[in-house]
Amino acid sequence: MNEHEETEDLQAPAKLAEAFCGLQKERVLVPSQIDQEILSKAREHLRGSKRPFFSLPRWVALAASVALVCGLIYLSETRDKTFAAEDINRDGVVDILDALALARKIEAGEKGEMDFNRDGVIDERDAATIAIDVVRLGRGGRS
Amino acid sequence: MDLDVASREQIDTRSDDELIASLNAGDASAFDVLYFRYRDWVVNLAYRFTGDREISLDVLQETFLYLARKFPGFRLTAQMKTFLYPAVRNLSIGARKKTQRFQSSEEELQVIENTPAVEDAFRENEPLSAVMAQLSEEHREVLLLRFVDGLSLGEISDALTIPLGTVKSRLHNALATLRNDPGTRGFFEQ
């Protein structure tokens, strides 16, 4: 049996169905003025809520905004910043960590303007130069 | 809205789904068709819940503004009546509660909050009204949805968000009460 099918015990005799319909005291008629008022308000809303050509879910828009703000902050902090040549790890400070970073780069065979002792060769002595310079001058300030 | 416009909207043959698609596409005139298609049902349903003509007209307005606010992007997953029914019911109960707030005790307000004013809307001194008033709200609601509003069992299940089996059981019990009551037994006799 179809689950939507009505068995006899779920049906009302015609007399009863008719009586149900006559049960309500009065039928409410809607004045045309009310029709106008409702439709006018509805149209006002419908006109003001046209779907944009391209719309995104709110959470996507929010995430995009946050990412944009973070990006701008990052760029504003880094765009014009210049680092000293010796500030190998670009953390804004020339210290013993830069000497270590340079030693690793040299060990890894990286090339670049890293001839800090100006002897024409890029080797561990350039890293030592930075280390000695940091210790001798007590440097460690921002680059 | 003049009568010509109302008549034109009423004879529009587009289905509810087609009208909703038009509305989602920006055709606001499709709303008028939906409005005139369901206006009388909504206002009389609201009257059944409130027993008050003026409040019913307010509920009518709130119901259709609620519907309008669903656009664009509205998707009808069942029948329009099953979508509108809970809105009308809740708005009616809310409206009754609001109007009686200053006249009733907290206890009475609780009753108003949970019970539609069927007795107020029905004719008095009729055996059927008397028996209906004795039924629980749940049983009465299913009876009215089936035999006054003409909803199918499946639609009632959707409107009340209850299982189909529960709808059948409530309808069966409600009809059995009417069948056994001396005041309404006559309706079942040939």
Side-chain angles (χ1 to χ4, degrees):
Chain A
M1 183 172 69
N2 185 327
E3 66 169 353
H4 287 257
E5 196 178 318
E6 284 186 40
T7 52
E8 203 172 318
D9 66 326
L10 297 182
Q11 291 170 1
K15 275 195 289 184
L16 179 61
E18 200 177 313
F20 274 130
C21 294
L23 207 54
Q24 194 161 309
K25 269 184 196 166
E26 60 169 316
R27 300 294 296 171
V28 181
L29 297 174
V30 181
S32 60
Q33 189 191 339
I34 301 279
D35 288 337
Q36 279 178 351
E37 200 178 314
I38 294 172
L39 289 174
S40 152
K41 283 183 181 172
R43 283 193 205 108
E44 197 177 307
H45 168 80
L46 292 166
R47 269 199 303 269
S49 63
K50 292 261 161 68
R51 185 186 283 278
F53 176 70
F54 179 71
S55 63
L56 287 172
R58 276 188 190 169
W59 70 269
V60 174
L62 182 65
S65 304
V66 170
L68 183 65
V69 169
C70 291
L72 287 172
I73 291 169
Y74 175 77
L75 283 176
S76 69
E77 284 196 349
T78 58
R79 198 171 68 179
D80 296 321
K81 198 170 234 176
T82 53
F83 296 98
E86 296 91 339
D87 187 5
I88 305 297
N89 60 7
R90 295 289 189 264
D91 65 353
V93 181
V94 177
D95 54 17
I96 196 68
L97 296 176
D98 294 299
L100 289 170
L102 179 60
R104 286 203 194 94
K105 278 175 180 276
I106 292 166
E107 206 173 86
E110 283 186 36
K111 303 285 178 194
E113 292 181 12
M114 300 186 289
D115 183 14
F116 295 111
N117 63 0
R118 301 187 188 286
D119 64 354
V121 184
I122 296 171
D123 56 15
E124 68 278 4
R125 281 175 290 194
D126 294 296
T129 300
I130 293 179
I132 291 164
D133 196 32
V134 168
V135 172
R136 188 181 62 211
L137 298 176
R139 284 173 63 174
R142 298 197 72 80
S143 62
Chain B
M1 179 66 53
D2 56 49
L3 272 179
D4 285 346
V5 177
S7 308
R8 200 175 64 227
E9 309 301 349
Q10 283 168 338
I11 59 168
D12 193 302
T13 54
R14 283 178 290 174
S15 69
D16 291 350
D17 284 332
E18 288 169 332
L19 292 167
I20 287 164
S22 297
L23 270 164
N24 281 326
D27 173 16
S29 69
F31 191 85
D32 296 11
V33 185
L34 281 177
Y35 173 77
F36 284 109
R37 191 169 286 175
Y38 292 101
R39 176 194 65 180
D40 292 342
W41 179 74
V42 167
V43 78
N44 283 292
L45 180 62
Y47 180 75
R48 200 162 82 206
F49 285 133
T50 63
D52 184 294
R53 190 179 164 281
E54 291 306 315
I55 299 176
S56 306
L57 291 172
D58 288 343
V59 170
L60 173 73
Q61 170 159 320
E62 288 305 313
T63 303
F64 278 97
L65 292 182
Y66 165 75
L67 176 63
R69 284 194 288 269
K70 293 281 176 188
F71 292 95
F74 178 59
R75 284 186 62 216
L76 189 64
T77 52
Q79 296 298 310
M80 186 54 97
K81 278 186 181 178
T82 64
F83 168 77
L84 291 173
Y85 182 83
V88 176
R89 187 185 190 282
N90 292 334
L91 288 167
S92 298
I93 292 169
R96 280 188 71 214
K97 195 177 167 190
K98 206 158 126 187
T99 53
Q100 298 186 26
R101 188 176 296 271
F102 300 107
Q103 304 161 13
S104 310
S105 67
E106 274 303 309
E107 215 170 85
E108 285 165 334
L109 273 179
Q110 195 62 39
V111 175
I112 291 164
E113 195 170 349
N114 298 323
T115 317
V118 168
E119 296 85 355
D120 297 341
F122 285 174
R123 293 180 191 283
E124 291 158 14
N125 302 321
E126 282 197 15
L128 184 55
S129 298
V131 181
M132 290 290 281
Q134 287 168 22
L135 289 174
S136 73
E137 194 223 326
E138 290 171 341
H139 289 93
R140 192 165 51 207
E141 191 170 39
V142 170
L143 265 185
L144 294 172
L145 282 170
R146 180 70 194 99
F147 299 115
V148 177
D149 302 315
L151 267 62
S152 69
L153 299 182
E155 287 168 349
I156 296 171
S157 163
D158 287 339
L160 300 180
T161 58
I162 55 174
L164 185 65
T166 308
V167 175
K168 286 182 176 181
S169 152
R170 286 182 188 174
L171 192 57
H172 170 86
N173 291 334
L175 284 170
T177 303
L178 294 178
R179 195 178 288 115
N180 296 326
D181 191 283
T184 48
R185 190 178 295 152
F187 288 117
F188 294 84
E189 291 166 355
Q190 294 299 321

